[in-house]
Amino acid sequence: MKKKFLNLLKQPITNSYLSSINKSNTKNEYFYNLSVIFNTQNFLVSLSKPVDPKKQYTDKYAHRASQSFTMRQSFKSVANKLKSRFRPNFSMEIGSNDGVFLKNFKKNKIVAVEPCLNLAKITKKLGYKTYPNFWNRKLVNKILKEKSNFDLIYSANTISHIPNLKETFDAIYKSLNDNGVFVFEDPYMGSVIKMNSYDQFYDEHVHIFSLIAISNILKKSKLKVFDVELLQTHGGSTRFYVCKENAKYSINKSVKNLKSKELKQGLHKLSTYTKFASRVKKSKYELLELLKELKKKSKKVVSYGATYKSATIFNYCNIGNDLINYVLDSTKNKQGKFTPGKHILIKPSNNGIPEDVDYAFLGAWNFLKEIKKKEQKFLKRGGKFITHVPKIKIISL
Ligand code: DWN
């Protein structure tokens, strides 16, 4: 049975950064109701009504995975780790974005799948065979006609974006060699509960995975998890190592350990999610109280990182220009545009937080360490960060 436990109200498509604010732009902005459900049978947490992927993954896709030092390092290190552990002869990446993972492989040793045409162009230009398509049964048939089966398939922050998991994993099964390995990483439900990071729910995050849920789903496609890692990236992610049921890999201790941790955390119980939903309401109330108080004191507050996640916060809490002056971001193609739904101007963050800013709300809270390092000047002159994870608090030097 599917049980609705969280209602994050009317939300825009997070990738829809507006280039100007005028009547026709705002009139055409697409909104949908964002609510989240728990499947009591397989324990999967998903959005109740996913948005049409064709509206989301367009030729104007804004996010660049290579924007942060943290992620460049993380992709380099996972690429090296996978190459030395599995010695793949032929690999594939699903959702290759701007090629930050791909670049660590020789051009004839890997192919890419990327439905956003502006991104697919980047990796094509770099010399990598790139399929500018959505990952599905039809594409797999095409790839297998042209190429061979794969020893390694990697995917970061993509599988959780696909509504139809059965088709997705059946297609993975079909494309793997008998002892091939599928490694994928996505935000982790255990971390969302622990960090109260409700902003991980937005149109693109159709599912947030736990090990217990993913194991149940993979079984239906004759696949199994044989190893799992908890990662710091994106505020807490899981990296699942998957193979065919009859492949040579034996199941690592990590799988049993994480399963029992999840049962202790209650990721299989509806009550865990309803309690989480109450904490989300409290977080909204406290954030609004704080921002209103700062406004009363005439403090200048901006937001740091025009993240997709922060679209959920601003729209759910009804935070606009009245409470946040502008948003800073280092991504060139977001700069000069306006945030989805609440239409707050995005300015470049490249020269650091301007002198007259008192507080910066952390839209990119998942990069706190990197941002703190960059913004020492801001902190030293008394500037403060605001975060909502795991609860509303102010961070100073
Ligand atoms: O899954 C997804 C994740 C991986 O990326 C997507 N569906 C979309 C996107 O979500 P996000 O926007 O929440 O991701 P990030 O990686 O948390 O975004 C960080 C943003 O902050 C980027 O726009 C870059 C910006 N930034 C900055 O301006 N200065 C980041 C750092 C570290 C900085 O120092």
Side-chain angles (χ1 to χ4, degrees), residues 67 110 117 128 157 184 192 212 227-228 240 271 279 313 344 372:
Q67 272 303 299
I110 194 161
L117 297 184
Y128 290 93
N157 301 303
F184 71 105
V192 171
I212 47 174
D227 199 359
V228 63
F240 298 109
S271 59
R279 295 198 298 277
I313 301 178
I344 310 174
K372 258 179 129 177

Side-chain angles (χ1 to χ4, degrees), residues 63 161 202 204 307-309 329-331 334 366 374:
H63 177 72
H161 295 48
Y202 52 88
E204 295 190 0
T307 56
Y308 289 40
K309 294 185 287 292
D329 199 288
S330 61
T331 319
K334 290 183 186 173
N366 43 315
K374 264 187 213 164

Side-chain angles (χ1 to χ4, degrees), residues 147-158:
K147 308 274 172 194
S148 60
N149 281 55
F150 297 91
D151 306 310
L152 172 71
I153 302 176
Y154 175 76
S155 185
N157 301 303
T158 300

